[in-house]
Amino acid sequence: MRNVRSSVAVGVGCLVLVGASSVFAQDWPQWRGPNRDGVATGFTAPAAWPAALTQGWRTSVGTGDATPALVGDKLYVFTRQGDDEVTTCLNASDSQQVWQDKYAAQAVTGAASRHPGPRSAPAVADGKVVTLGVAGVVSCLEAATGKLLWRKDLFPGVVPKFFTSSSPLIVDGTAIAQLGGQGSGAIVAFDLATGDTKWQWAGDAPQYASPVLLTVGGTTQVVTLTEASVVGLNVADGKLLWQLPFVPEGRAYNSATPIVDGQTVIYTGAGRGTKAVQIKQQGDGFAAKELWSNPDLASQFSTPVLANGFLFGLSNRGNPFCLNAKTGQTAWTSDALFDRGSFGPIVNAGSVLLTLPSSSELIAFAPSDKQYTELARIKVADTPTYAFPVLAGNRVFVKDQDAVTLWTLP
């Protein structure tokens, strides 16, 4: 085990208990938002987009690509500072630090060293914050005070080639994370209160995709892409319910989060297109029936988002596309360039779609199935951005290379 040390500085005034009863409509409490589907609620799009946004505050927090979590008036940021991985709680209104937790973290080496900080978004629920470090350390902190409740390192030294990027989720008093890598690892469920392992499934090692939830016939499932598959596991006991091969080709990786639409699971990967399957009960078990496959459009790193029955994504060449989520047919593709590296998280904000590629431009475009219509392209950082923009009302929180900035819209 690596030497894991904890140093907690607790500020005064964090009296708000974070839990299911105190979640606000504008919260962004985990990876890809309240329902892990890339949908932002409570965002107010301007009638006319300005040439620039108004800066509220900017504060240095450390390096990393992890999307902050916003719950109530608190922003939870997960970064690297020197040799430590650090979770910081900030007042969302003025960026004042409320508390901070840190521990010594493994150095990021090799091709991934250009991104030494965490990539996994914190998950906040039931009064707790769960983080997953670049080397697979899982931590659970008290959301109000930052008190360390437990910290686990089940696969020390075992990581995917580019280190851990999957984000944890919290469901029914359980924290679930993909741990390990390169042929050795597991999906692990921890008791949120104690950190004890409830179950683990080691049928396939993780890569970089994050898990989501699906409910069919009263059974809640964890659905995720692993090293070579897409799987559904029973949340209650980790039992494998269904599994389909999805093997990366060449330099491709399983990075995009599966998309759940009712009983339909949509998944995508470079070189393998985009596919949809329907999950049905079959006797005492479950079966996955293919609905459609589009071999021409796929996303490597950016997870597509559903809006009005259509799927909007970013191709491997960095261009936006739209396809019909019911049939898989291509609606349109565009020559507009978002990101040459195909990075660019997309958010469904109701009347508008927003993306924030590594060029640090907030791009707004219409959720239309007819054609690509760009509404705005606004610079919001001076260093590259890889995290989601966190939207709340007329506010946009942006995590760049080493800082968080609050921008406001008119």
Side-chain angles (χ1 to χ4, degrees), residues 177-251:
Q178 296 201 80
L179 307 176
Q182 296 299 107
S184 175
I187 299 173
V188 183
F190 299 94
D191 184 281
L192 187 61
T194 65
D196 294 339
T197 299
K198 286 187 170 183
W199 55 257
Q200 67 177 43
W201 180 80
D204 198 7
Q207 278 201 329
Y208 311 104
S210 297
V212 292
L213 297 175
L214 164 73
T215 300
V216 177
T219 299
T220 302
Q221 308 178 17
V222 179
V223 176
T224 192
L225 294 180
T226 61
E227 197 170 44
S229 307
V230 54
V231 301
L233 308 177
N234 194 324
V235 165
D237 57 14
K239 178 183 177 182
L240 178 66
L241 302 177
W242 56 271
Q243 182 176 15
L244 295 171
F246 198 60
V247 183
E249 300 175 357
R251 299 177 63 185

Side-chain angles (χ1 to χ4, degrees), residues 1 135-138 152-158 179-180 188-190 195 197 200:
M1 294 285 274
V137 174
V138 186
K152 303 291 181 176
D153 187 7
L154 299 190
F155 293 86
V158 182
L179 307 176
V188 183
F190 299 94
T197 299
Q200 67 177 43

Side-chain angles (χ1 to χ4, degrees), residues 137-178:
V137 174
V138 186
S139 303
C140 181
L141 310 171
E142 194 172 81
T145 66
K147 176 185 176 182
L148 177 65
L149 300 177
W150 51 266
R151 179 164 285 140
K152 303 291 181 176
D153 187 7
L154 299 190
F155 293 86
V158 182
V159 294
K161 181 178 180 180
F162 297 105
F163 286 73
T164 301
S165 295
S166 177
S167 295
L169 69 81
I170 299 173
V171 56
D172 297 336
T174 303
I176 298 175
Q178 296 201 80

Side-chain angles (χ1 to χ4, degrees), residues 28-377:
W28 190 273
Q30 60 179 334
W31 171 246
R32 301 192 75 228
N35 297 308
R36 298 178 81 89
D37 57 4
V39 176
T41 57
F43 175 72
T44 306
W49 284 86
L53 305 185
T54 301
Q55 182 173 313
W57 51 256
R58 184 177 188 275
T59 185
S60 295
V61 290
T63 60
D65 303 331
T67 300
L70 176 68
V71 176
D73 62 347
K74 297 296 180 286
L75 194 70
Y76 301 90
V77 187
F78 188 37
T79 63
R80 188 181 189 98
Q81 297 179 11
D83 294 330
D84 296 329
E85 285 185 333
V86 181
T87 304
T88 305
C89 175
L90 303 174
N91 284 323
S93 59
D94 59 13
S95 78
Q96 292 299 304
Q97 180 177 305
V98 180
W99 57 256
Q100 190 174 85
D101 170 83
K102 62 181 66 176
Y103 62 91
Q106 179 178 325
V108 177
T109 56
S113 60
R114 292 185 302 167
H115 297 265
R119 305 87 184 273
S120 307
V124 184
D126 301 338
K128 298 174 178 64
V129 182
V130 174
T131 63
L132 177 56
V134 291
V137 174
V138 186
S139 303
C140 181
L141 310 171
E142 194 172 81
T145 66
K147 176 185 176 182
L148 177 65
L149 300 177
W150 51 266
R151 179 164 285 140
K152 303 291 181 176
D153 187 7
L154 299 190
F155 293 86
V158 182
V159 294
K161 181 178 180 180
F162 297 105
F163 286 73
T164 301
S165 295
S166 177
S167 295
L169 69 81
I170 299 173
V171 56
D172 297 336
T174 303
I176 298 175
Q178 296 201 80
L179 307 176
Q182 296 299 107
S184 175
I187 299 173
V188 183
F190 299 94
D191 184 281
L192 187 61
T194 65
D196 294 339
T197 299
K198 286 187 170 183
W199 55 257
Q200 67 177 43
W201 180 80
D204 198 7
Q207 278 201 329
Y208 311 104
S210 297
V212 292
L213 297 175
L214 164 73
T215 300
V216 177
T219 299
T220 302
Q221 308 178 17
V222 179
V223 176
T224 192
L225 294 180
T226 61
E227 197 170 44
S229 307
V230 54
V231 301
L233 308 177
N234 194 324
V235 165
D237 57 14
K239 178 183 177 182
L240 178 66
L241 302 177
W242 56 271
Q243 182 176 15
L244 295 171
F246 198 60
V247 183
E249 300 175 357
R251 299 177 63 185
Y253 309 100
N254 282 340
S255 302
T257 300
I259 299 144
V260 173
D261 183 18
Q263 292 183 212
T264 299
V265 175
I266 304 172
Y267 52 103
T268 183
R272 292 153 294 156
T274 301
K275 302 176 182 292
V277 294
Q278 186 178 40
I279 310 304
K280 288 187 173 183
Q281 281 188 297
Q282 185 171 292
D284 295 332
F286 294 84
K289 176 187 176 183
E290 183 172 302
L291 297 178
W292 53 259
S293 178
N294 186 320
D296 301 320
L297 295 177
S299 295
Q300 169 79 318
F301 303 112
S302 174
T303 301
V305 68
L306 275 171
N308 307 323
F310 289 84
L311 200 67
F312 296 86
L314 182 63
S315 75
N316 300 326
R317 295 183 177 180
N319 309 114
F321 67 78
C322 172
L323 60 82
N324 189 308
K326 298 300 180 184
T327 67
Q329 293 182 330
T330 300
W332 54 256
T333 59
S334 174
D335 292 332
L337 181 64
F338 281 4
D339 190 293
R340 294 187 186 279
S342 73
F343 296 102
I346 301 175
V347 180
N348 176 359
S351 62
V352 66
L353 299 174
L354 293 169
T355 185
L356 182 59
S358 63
S359 62
S360 309
E361 296 173 303
L362 184 69
I363 302 172
F365 61 104
S368 169
D369 63 311
K370 305 303 181 186
Q371 63 183 9
Y372 174 74
T373 303
E374 190 166 298
L375 305 175
R377 188 177 288 241

